[in-house]
Amino acid sequence: MESDKQLTQVIGRIGLGDRHAFKKLYDATAPRLLSILRRMVHDHQQSEDLLQEVYIKVWHQAGSYRADKSSPLTWMGSIARYTAIDFIRKQERQPTTVAESVVTEVAAPKTSPTNIEQQHLSNCIQLLSSDQRNAIIAAYLGGYTHSELSHRYNSPLGTIKSWIRRGLRSLKECLSI
Amino acid sequence: MRYDNPELQSLLAAEYVIGALQGKARDRFEQLLISSQSLRTAVVNWETYFSLIDDDVVEPVNPSSQAWRGIETRLFAETRQTISRWWRSFALIAASLLAVLLLQWFDEPEFEELSLDYVAVLQSAEQQPIWSVSIRGQGKQLEAVALDVPELPTALDYELWLLAGEGDAPVSLGLLPRQGAVMRELALITFEGATALAVSREQKGGSITGSPTEGAVLYVAKLFPSST
């Protein structure tokens, strides 16, 4: 994976219409974005279709990318996630098709936090109640809707919304955002 | 208005980022994002933190070769059609170019007639030609003809850039005319490997950094060698 600085330069060139730079960015980042999309959409072919949409957006939006606002991977990851969220909402995905293994990945990370921000986030997430933590992480990583979460945790919709809202408020305070 | 409350903005931004904001509420939030800088900042703050979660759990998945081919087809097949339209409109542009060339010939006889190396037509998003640019004499001479240039405040200028090979910084080719034509001598500029021209909006007199201002690039056009 290229460094943030290298990716920023590559995106700058894409903003000027450089197709070689575009292919370079794709090669460096597509596996990560496809991973994010597959986790949310669960179907490989649909994920690859969405991956195409994501890079078409990247091509068109590269000229307005602001490196001082967010890192290249955060910017591209967000484009991927919002593309998947829009797709999921349109599809009205059935809760029964949702994989069960997503949330535990973050509740028990495979690796130790590698920097201060990760450590800070990890600490703040651990301060949440398990219901709040699971609901927020499932929504973020899996693209779960409120109703899917309601089905998943066998809890009323209002309870799910409350877990998420209160959990986010706690996270906000802890992270000082 | 409640949306002006920073606390509420941050919570709504967080719900938006994790996908918990749904339906009409999500649509309304996206509309507000367009006009609210503080809301956009709140979203980016949450995106930055939540993307750290991705770092923990992402397991890269290599896409199939069809995925890249699909992107190329969807993006650049359109470009090929655009080029086709460009050739159709070239006759019209060439006529205006010829007229200007004749005027230049009488007005500025010090410019010798040099062989044509490259041409490019910078177009709007609606495919309307804005400038035609020709490079002559093995890159020694540039001519830019204003065709239908959008209005620009007098405190600003349009600046032309050469996009050279990968890894090379854009090279300024000078300011573009708002009307009429300019012809100028170029020195020490290599066009070999160059693929495109770009136009940015700069302060009066051009970019002071030597590079296009970030976010100010307005138009990009392919540079066609005259032999093709």
Side-chain angles (χ1 to χ4, degrees), chain A residues 24-64:
Chain A
K24 190 173 178 179
L25 183 76
Y26 177 85
D27 289 342
T29 58
R32 178 186 171 95
L33 297 194
L34 184 56
S35 169
I36 291 172
L37 293 168
R38 275 191 65 174
R39 199 178 58 214
M40 297 177 75
V41 176
H42 308 303
D43 178 273
H44 184 74
Q45 187 54 51
Q46 284 177 335
S47 303
E48 287 214 340
D49 290 346
L50 291 179
L51 187 73
Q52 294 184 24
E53 278 186 39
V54 169
Y55 279 92
I56 287 168
K57 290 176 183 172
V58 167
W59 172 261
H60 289 303
Q61 295 175 21
S64 57

Side-chain angles (χ1 to χ4, degrees), chain A:
Chain A
M1 181 68 70
E2 311 269 341
S3 71
D4 275 2
K5 188 178 175 186
Q6 288 170 318
L7 290 178
T8 298
Q9 289 172 344
V10 170
I11 293 172
R13 292 201 58 81
I14 295 169
L16 294 171
D18 187 332
R19 290 191 201 175
H20 295 295
F22 186 47
K23 181 64 165 68
K24 190 173 178 179
L25 183 76
Y26 177 85
D27 289 342
T29 58
R32 178 186 171 95
L33 297 194
L34 184 56
S35 169
I36 291 172
L37 293 168
R38 275 191 65 174
R39 199 178 58 214
M40 297 177 75
V41 176
H42 308 303
D43 178 273
H44 184 74
Q45 187 54 51
Q46 284 177 335
S47 303
E48 287 214 340
D49 290 346
L50 291 179
L51 187 73
Q52 294 184 24
E53 278 186 39
V54 169
Y55 279 92
I56 287 168
K57 290 176 183 172
V58 167
W59 172 261
H60 289 303
Q61 295 175 21
S64 57
Y65 167 67
R66 295 284 305 273
D68 58 333
K69 299 290 183 190
S70 59
S71 78
L73 291 179
T74 297
W75 177 66
M76 296 177 69
S78 298
I79 292 176
R81 291 194 68 262
Y82 297 142
T83 302
I85 286 171
D86 290 343
F87 172 80
I88 290 166
R89 303 301 184 255
K90 282 180 194 162
Q91 293 294 307
E92 296 182 352
R93 182 180 63 185
Q94 295 302 305
T96 50
T97 66
V98 174
E100 295 294 324
S101 60
V102 180
V103 177
T104 50
E105 291 179 67
V106 169
K110 287 175 296 195
T111 56
S112 301
T114 53
N115 58 43
I116 293 170
E117 286 81 13
Q118 273 186 322
Q119 182 67 62
H120 191 197
L121 177 66
S122 181
N123 291 343
C124 291
I125 285 176
Q126 295 307 319
L127 289 176
L128 304 179
S129 74
S130 61
D131 290 335
Q132 293 170 352
R133 183 167 57 238
N134 288 343
I136 289 171
I137 292 171
Y140 178 77
L141 286 181
Y144 292 64
T145 63
H146 285 140
S147 356
E148 285 174 348
L149 290 170
S150 172
H151 182 271
R152 180 187 180 89
Y153 295 112
N154 197 25
S155 297
L157 209 54
T159 304
I160 296 293
K161 289 180 180 176
S162 174
W163 286 345
I164 288 177
R165 179 63 66 103
R166 289 180 184 175
L168 290 174
R169 186 172 282 120
S170 300
L171 264 186
K172 176 182 176 317
E173 285 170 13
C174 182
L175 294 169
S176 303
I177 291 180

Side-chain angles (χ1 to χ4, degrees), chain B residues 199-219:
Chain B
V199 174
S200 66
R201 183 173 47 218
E202 304 290 348
Q203 63 181 21
K204 193 78 178 169
S207 168
I208 56 171
T209 64
S211 299
T213 297
E214 191 173 310
V217 174
L218 304 172
Y219 314 106

